Amino acid sequence: MTATTHTTAAAPLAPVEEAHQVRRRRRLAPGRRLPATRLVGPVVVLVLWIAASAAGLLDPGAIPAPWTVLETGTRLWTDGTLPDDILTSLQRAASGFVIGLTVGILLALVSGLTRTGEALIDGTVNLNRAIPTLGLIPLFILWLGIGETFKIAIIAIVVYIPIYLNTHAALSGIDSRFVELAEVQGLSKLRFIREVVIPGALPGFFVGLRLGVTGSWLGLVVLEQINATSGLGYMMFQAQNYGQTDVILVGLVVYGVFGLISDSAVRIIERRVLSWRRTLSS
Amino acid sequence: MAPHTEQLTRPAVQLRGLTRSFDGRTVLDGIDLDLPAGQLTALLGHSGSGKSTLLRAIAGLDHGVTGWGSPLLERSRELGGGQLTAPERVSVVFQDSRLLPWRRVLDNVLLGAEGKDAGRRGRAALEEVGLKGRERAWPGELSGGEAQRAALARSLVQQPELLLADEPFGALDALTRIRMHGLLRELWERHRPSVLLVTHDVDEAIVLADRVLVLDQGRIGLDLAIDRPHPRSYRDPLLGEYRERLLAALGVTEDHR
Ligand SMILES: Nc1ncnc2c1ncn2[C@@H]1O[C@H](COP(=O)(O)OP(=O)(O)OP(=O)(O)O)[C@@H](O)[C@H]1O
Ligand SMILES: [Mg+2]
């Protein structure tokens, strides 16, 4: 008996220490975001472009050098054609967007807050969604002529659909627990809508808004390149006929800048309005 | 317990013959219930016995129960084939705090509050539940216990004559729950609403309530007055006898434990 107790008392000391080493968990989330990381990719592309052009690796007829594009851009800007085209395009996109936004919100409110509205509107919009909007172009040209009205109408349709769909889904998907709460607190119908339903639907609305903004640029590009006599797309279309790649690139850069600015604007507004959400994700 | 006798003559809630069934299955079978004004009553029962159903019917939240009018605006109305008399100002505390995530804590507390002095009342209520200084916090920044205290403050602002609470501490950890018991009792003593507290925790019922009801087979199976002074200790041996009776009524016998 004495022999066994001796051995068991001495032996286990060494391995215990090893077993007690704390194992650190592998971190699964990507970690903290670095500042301005979203610019890294574009900057790398730009640097590669400059380097390849300087080294003479690119055919200037297919992809002109960045400085050529810059020169052409400055020339078009100073002779007044570029500002004119930009203004025309912006007006189209903005009018279509504002109309689409208004219609989308109004329809979503009526359809999301009343049963009659839902019966009348929701099915109709979904039918409209089933038809690709750009496929409506020939019909709209016959109805409205080939002027500005038809372009604005098409852009408005491209914009209103995602805004309607997302806002309507958010309005009608309100958490039933919050409905119960509003009943308990004795809220009037109006205050219920204003203080519970609409704030609760804002995140969904913003999803639709961002899709709508993207849609308005997409609609604009398509419309201007096939049936226009002015605007950025027309400028690019003309350049294609004369093989002016640099002018086409100027147009693309302007489109890109517009897209970035509008998307950032929506993001900033969204972050302001939905500031309460940051507390959930942190 | 002398001051109670005067209040006992004036029932805050009088319910006669409430019946509620879902798809032919009767959950509440002709419930009769009197809640004296200013009394704290606990309602026990198995899971699925219909506690929440009863509370929601009294709160006017059950739109499927026949005879539903508007949420307790009338003092007396038809309900579920029976008759309900209840006070005008009724408030409900849910198991989840149900704070609107897009409103700051003070604005949540003021949801539905009317009048010029609402802001002042809201701040006072937050101070009472120990959340002074958190007025501008977002609900997402509160702990579970803090959120539930904010929910209590939201009910306080309504100055309810009847407070209905459906397992208000069910989602909290044991320590926080004991703190909340103290707070609820304190608030009740200061404002004296009639309280119907739904719980499945026998000890919670015994420590807090003046009276414990057991819901069984769609009826009030046991109506037990707990005649011990407050504050009560969880370890008071005299409460053991009440615990035994309640557990027996719930069908939990020695060999189950
Ligand atoms: N809306 C409903 N539709 C159908 N059945 C329901 C509905 N609400 C409740 N029930 C049924 O009624 C019975 C009682 O439900 P209730 O929620 O009142 O139980 P409870 O006593 O609160 O239980 P718990 O302690 O688990 O919360 C359950 O069998 C439930 O399935
Ligand atoms: Mg329940």
Side-chain angles (χ1 to χ4, degrees):
Chain A
M1 263 310 203
T2 36
T4 39
T5 33
H6 269 278
T7 38
T8 42
L13 264 173
V16 160
E17 219 166 303
E18 221 169 297
H20 273 261
Q21 254 184 9
V22 181
R23 206 161 58 95
R24 287 191 62 176
R25 296 265 172 227
R26 180 169 299 147
R27 184 200 188 112
L28 293 176
R32 251 153 52 88
R33 194 168 264 140
L34 305 169
T37 34
R38 276 145 53 84
L39 287 175
V40 171
V43 167
V44 169
V45 171
L46 189 65
V47 168
L48 284 178
W49 183 16
I50 292 173
S53 300
L57 295 175
L58 298 175
D59 169 15
I63 308 177
W67 46 88
T68 321
V69 174
L70 203 65
E71 258 166 44
T72 314
T74 329
R75 178 170 50 76
L76 290 173
W77 182 270
T78 42
D79 74 8
T81 47
L82 189 58
D84 270 357
D85 285 331
I86 289 180
L87 201 66
T88 316
S89 291
L90 272 186
Q91 266 168 2
R92 281 177 194 144
S95 323
F97 178 75
V98 168
I99 295 173
L101 178 69
T102 317
V103 171
I105 291 177
L106 286 179
L107 289 181
L109 282 176
V110 176
S111 152
L113 300 178
T114 65
R115 289 287 170 223
T116 347
E118 182 159 39
L120 288 173
I121 294 169
D122 198 49
T124 320
V125 175
N126 275 291
L127 194 72
N128 188 176
R129 179 176 72 133
I131 308 167
T133 308
L134 299 177
L136 293 173
I137 290 176
L139 191 64
F140 271 57
I141 291 181
L142 285 184
W143 284 350
L144 301 171
I146 199 155
E148 291 302 293
T149 328
F150 119 82
K151 295 192 188 74
I152 291 171
I154 293 282
I155 294 176
I157 294 177
V158 175
V159 169
Y160 104 93
I161 288 180
I163 291 181
Y164 169 85
L165 288 175
N166 287 283
T167 312
H168 173 252
L171 285 171
S172 48
I174 171 154
D175 194 332
S176 64
R177 298 173 317 132
F178 291 152
V179 180
E180 229 174 55
L181 174 69
E183 286 176 13
V184 165
Q185 298 297 108
L187 259 60
S188 65
K189 182 96 186 169
L190 195 71
R191 283 190 72 183
F192 169 59
I193 290 172
R194 224 180 41 216
E195 298 181 25
V196 180
V197 181
I198 290 182
L202 278 179
F205 163 73
F206 274 104
V207 172
L209 185 65
R210 274 163 76 170
L211 290 171
V213 168
T214 319
S216 68
W217 294 123
L218 180 74
L220 181 76
V221 174
V222 173
L223 285 167
E224 289 193 332
Q225 295 195 356
I226 48 177
N227 345 53
T229 50
S230 61
L232 275 175
Y234 175 70
M235 178 189 88
M236 291 159 74
F237 181 70
Q238 291 289 321
Q240 182 201 329
N241 285 341
Y242 298 108
Q244 299 165 316
T245 336
D246 50 343
V247 177
I248 297 184
L249 281 180
V250 168
L252 286 179
V253 168
V254 175
Y255 275 144
V257 169
F258 286 167
L260 271 180
I261 290 177
S262 55
D263 196 58
S264 311
V266 174
R267 263 173 212 272
I268 289 170
I269 298 171
E270 181 174 0
R271 196 143 358 126
R272 278 273 161 80
V273 175
L274 304 182
S275 54
W276 55 271
R277 286 189 128 200
R278 262 179 293 171
T279 59
L280 300 182
S281 59
S282 62
Chain B
M1 292 278 119
H4 266 202
T5 36
E6 174 259 333
Q7 288 172 322
L8 286 175
T9 55
R10 186 167 55 86
V13 174
Q14 193 170 52
L15 180 63
R16 291 286 171 271
L18 166 68
T19 299
R20 177 67 162 118
S21 40
F22 295 103
D23 315 313
R25 201 163 46 87
T26 304
V27 174
L28 301 177
D29 186 12
I31 298 260
D32 293 340
L33 179 67
D34 284 322
L35 297 182
Q39 200 181 51
L40 205 161
T41 308
L43 179 65
L44 282 171
H46 282 288
S47 181
S49 57
K51 305 182 293 294
S52 297
T53 307
L54 174 58
L55 183 128
R56 289 167 49 80
I58 297 176
L61 285 172
D62 188 348
H63 304 274
V65 65
T66 49
W68 178 79
S70 57
L72 297 189
L73 285 177
E74 314 92 323
R75 300 206 48 97
S76 176
R77 64 200 167 88
E78 297 264 307
L79 185 77
Q83 189 77 26
L84 171 71
T85 311
E88 256 171 76
R89 293 196 306 276
V90 180
S91 189
V92 181
V93 182
F94 303 93
Q95 178 169 357
D96 58 311
S97 58
R98 228 165 267 207
L99 300 172
L100 300 172
W102 51 83
R103 290 170 80 107
R104 294 179 189 273
V105 168
L106 180 61
D107 296 328
N108 258 294
V109 166
L110 293 179
L111 183 71
E114 310 265 345
K116 274 199 292 282
D117 66 334
R120 193 193 50 74
R121 280 191 288 136
R123 279 170 220 282
L126 277 173
E127 184 164 2
E128 266 194 85
V129 300
L131 284 180
K132 191 176 163 60
R134 306 302 304 274
E135 288 86 355
R136 304 227 353 116
W138 294 110
E141 297 168 339
L142 298 183
S143 74
E146 287 170 336
Q148 205 56 341
R149 278 189 273 161
L152 270 179
R154 181 179 59 201
S155 280
L156 277 187
V157 168
Q158 304 285 323
Q159 298 173 315
E161 297 162 272
L162 172 63
L163 180 68
L164 302 166
D166 194 352
E167 301 191 27
F169 315 130
L172 303 179
D173 64 275
L175 279 179
T176 312
R177 198 178 312 162
I178 292 174
R179 286 231 188 98
M180 294 293 283
H181 290 167
L183 175 64
L184 178 69
R185 188 73 204 182
E186 193 184 297
L187 292 176
W188 173 77
E189 261 154 24
R190 205 170 312 140
H191 301 277
R192 281 296 162 140
S194 317
V195 177
L196 182 62
L197 171 75
V198 166
T199 173
H200 54 231
D201 181 344
V202 175
D203 289 323
E204 179 171 292
I206 296 174
V207 163
L208 282 178
D210 307 314
R211 179 178 168 218
V212 182
L213 308 171
V214 176
L215 191 59
D216 187 30
Q217 311 281 325
R219 292 179 170 272
I220 305 288
L222 177 68
D223 183 341
L224 186 65
I226 311 273
D227 218 352
R228 298 286 301 151
H230 285 277
R232 295 175 187 155
S233 156
Y234 294 82
R235 272 170 279 118
D236 181 349
L238 283 168
L239 291 177
E241 192 186 317
Y242 293 108
R243 186 176 299 122
E244 291 303 322
R245 289 190 60 188
L246 288 170
L247 288 172
L250 288 163
V252 183
T253 52
E254 279 301 331
D255 33 312
H256 279 97
R257 279 178 280 157

